[in-house]
Structure formats: structure tokens, C-alpha cells
Amino acid sequence: MRVSHGTTYRGRLAPSPTGLLHLGHARTFWTAQTRASEQGGALVLRNEDLDRQRCKPEFVCAMLEDLRWFGFHWTEGPDVGGPHAPYTQSERMSLYRAAFEQLRAGGSLFSCTCSRQDVLRALQAPHQGEDEPVYPGTCRKHVSGCEPPAPNAKPSWRFRVPDGRTIHFEDGRLGPQTFLAGVDFGDFVVWRNDDLPAYQLACVVDDAAMGITEVVRGADLLASTARQLLLYEALGLPVPAFFHCPLMTDERGVRLAKRHDALSLRALRERGLSPAKLREPPG
Ligand code: GLU
């Protein structure tokens, strides 16, 4: 596995405009921004809008406005441009397709005609409680990646995980992490049957293409990081460092989600709360 040893820190904020950003997103992003500025590095804003059904232009506008209100300053992004433009995923399809073709040609994928929930959900990062069950291997017999799809069924494509392999990585906050392929997660979707890349693939392609040296994200994505490490390896891409932030929960211990409207940045702003007060977790 190639590990990037770039001297210039490059971090990223990767929101999905599927609703209003809330305080949980903002706190994770704040850690990303703080780590980038402590290192004198760059901060990239990437608009992760692959889920065309749920991503709306009005959420993109609200996202940019709310992030600026909170105090974010990105050096590259969809609104300011930069050397790795475009910074909006729906405009980067050719890169994802090239990576998909590379994986397929390398024999890492199999086509799958199972119509399962995890295919439907693959456009989004699997946040807490949304992780897919281990794939039971129904279509795994297609190992070559070259077989024709079953008649009348458009396939999705799954990454064939090396069962029993241990994936280790060092998290910048949590220390050593270990996941077992085939047990902690199974063959995951990288390309959907409606011809869209899955979150796992798009994220790896973009983090590598944009020269990201450290990925800061919520701790609920630890198992996604393990999956992504397999994609970095199969694609021969340099691996960034990882830092997984604690999740912000509501009073019942449930992770904040876009449905927690009262804690959207917009609602907090309308209630007159100051960004400076909101940035740091209480206590
Ligand atoms: N767009 C993804 C999300 O909002 C990004 C997750 C990640 O940091 O990789 O959940």
C-alpha cells in the first residue's frame, strides 16, 4: 500500500447537500479546518452531490452560506475553483468511471443482480445505524468481472473483499484500528445498476485526485475507511492519514442527522446563536 508523505497538509470538507447542515457536521468540519490551519495547509470543499434524488440546488446554496456563517474558509471549492476543479462530484463522472474500469479490468469486481437495500443506499456514506449487512455472496461466483450481465437485469458491481484479511490502520485520534474483511464488512457496492458510482469509490477517487493528505470524518465511518483502504490498494493510489471525530448525539444518545432540524446551522443562526459559542463541544 502506498502511503502519501506529502509535506503540504491538504484536508477536506465533504458535505452532501441532501438537507440542511447541522451542528454535528459543523463540529467535525471544524476539527478538519483546525487541523489544516495548524499545519498551514489547504482546505478543500467538495460538494458530494451524487445522490440526485436527495441532493437539491437549494441545499447547495444553503450549505455554502451556512458554512461561511459558521466561520469556514476553504482554499479550493466549487465556488472558488482551484487546481483540482471541478469540486462537485456530479461533474467528475469520468474519473469515477476510469477507476471503475481499472478495478473491473483488474478482476477486483463482480457483477451483482441482487436487488438489495445496500445497492440503493450506496450513494451515501453509511452513517451510524446505516451500515450494510455483510453481503451473503449470492452473485460472487462471477469472479472474472468480464461475464455478461444476466438477461434483462442491469447489474451493480461489488468489490470482492479478501475474506479473512485483517485491515489495520492508525487513526489520528483513536490509535490502531483493525477490521476483518468478510466479517466486519462484506463485498460492497462500488457501481450501482443505475450507472452511478457508490460513495466508497467516489470518495477514494476524489481524495486521491485532490491530493488529500488527511481525511477527517465522523467515527461512524471507521468501517468505511477500512473498505476504502482496499480500494486505494486495488487502484494503486497513495493512502492519506485518517482522523475520526467523536459523533455528536442528541439528548437520547442518537447521532445527529439532518432530521434534527432544531440543530441545523440555519435554525441556530435564526435563533441568534453565535458561531464562536457553537464551535466547541460543551464541557
Ligand atoms: N459526503 C459524505 C457525508 O456527508 C462524506 C463522508 C466522508 O467524510 O467521507 O457523509
Side-chain angles (χ1 to χ4, degrees):
M1 220 174 252
R2 290 165 60 200
V3 177
S4 48
H5 293 289
T7 46
T8 316
Y9 183 102
R10 287 178 61 79
R12 47 72 145 184
L13 314 176
S16 296
T18 56
L20 292 173
L21 291 180
H22 59 65
L23 195 52
H25 297 117
R27 292 248 175 89
T28 298
F29 293 162
W30 196 253
T31 303
Q33 172 160 298
T34 305
R35 291 180 68 79
S37 76
E38 279 168 1
Q39 309 271 333
L43 187 66
V44 173
L45 175 67
R46 187 166 71 228
N47 173 14
E48 299 214 326
D49 67 342
L50 286 178
D51 190 340
R52 286 179 204 153
Q53 308 250 294
R54 296 177 67 221
C55 294
K56 306 245 152 42
E58 56 268 34
F59 290 139
V60 179
C61 296
M63 178 171 95
L64 297 175
E65 200 182 298
D66 292 347
L67 287 171
R68 290 208 190 280
W69 169 76
F70 200 82
F72 290 104
H73 303 281
W74 47 96
T75 40
E76 298 167 34
D79 53 339
V80 292
H84 301 284
Y87 292 91
T88 292
Q89 286 195 321
S90 59
E91 296 167 20
R92 299 175 61 81
M93 293 300 287
S94 57
L95 283 102
Y96 311 137
R97 188 167 290 285
F100 164 67
E101 295 299 351
Q102 185 185 340
L103 290 173
R104 188 160 68 156
S108 304
L109 308 183
F110 63 91
S111 62
C112 173
T113 49
C114 306
S115 60
R116 290 165 51 89
Q117 198 60 18
D118 44 346
V119 178
L120 297 176
R121 299 186 95 145
L123 289 175
Q124 298 152 40
H127 288 290
Q128 200 171 44
E130 298 167 353
D131 221 342
E132 67 200 69
V134 172
Y135 180 67
T138 325
C139 291
R140 216 186 205 219
K141 58 187 182 295
H142 311 305
V143 288
S144 73
C146 303
E147 68 289 342
N152 306 323
K154 232 178 162 292
S156 56
W157 292 83
R158 288 180 185 269
F159 186 86
R160 191 163 191 272
V161 306
D163 279 343
R165 174 150 156 218
T166 305
I167 293 137
H168 295 286
F169 65 95
E170 185 72 24
D171 181 72
R173 185 177 73 92
L174 298 165
Q177 300 295 309
T178 304
F179 287 87
L180 191 55
V183 173
D184 292 322
F185 59 87
D187 302 332
F188 54 92
V189 179
V190 295
W191 202 269
R192 296 200 340 163
N193 53 7
D194 58 358
D195 219 20
L196 285 173
Y199 154 74
Q200 306 290 1
L201 180 66
C203 185
V204 165
V205 168
D206 284 344
D207 283 334
M210 294 178 180
I212 301 304
T213 61
E214 183 178 70
V215 170
V216 176
R217 54 166 61 127
D220 55 344
L221 293 175
L222 280 161
S224 286
T225 296
R227 291 178 179 91
Q228 291 177 17
L229 285 169
L230 292 174
L231 293 178
Y232 280 103
E233 182 181 66
L235 291 164
L237 295 171
V239 177
F242 293 95
F243 186 100
H244 291 79
C245 299
L247 296 180
M248 195 179 162
T249 54
D250 68 10
E251 63 287 348
R252 289 170 300 141
V254 176
R255 171 188 170 268
L256 286 199
K258 285 175 181 143
R259 61 186 176 275
H260 286 87
D261 287 346
L263 287 175
S264 71
L265 297 187
R266 201 134 279 230
L268 295 168
R269 177 182 174 179
E270 278 159 12
R271 276 160 48 202
L273 287 150
S274 94
K277 286 232 172 71
L278 295 168
R279 279 172 202 155
E280 301 303 332

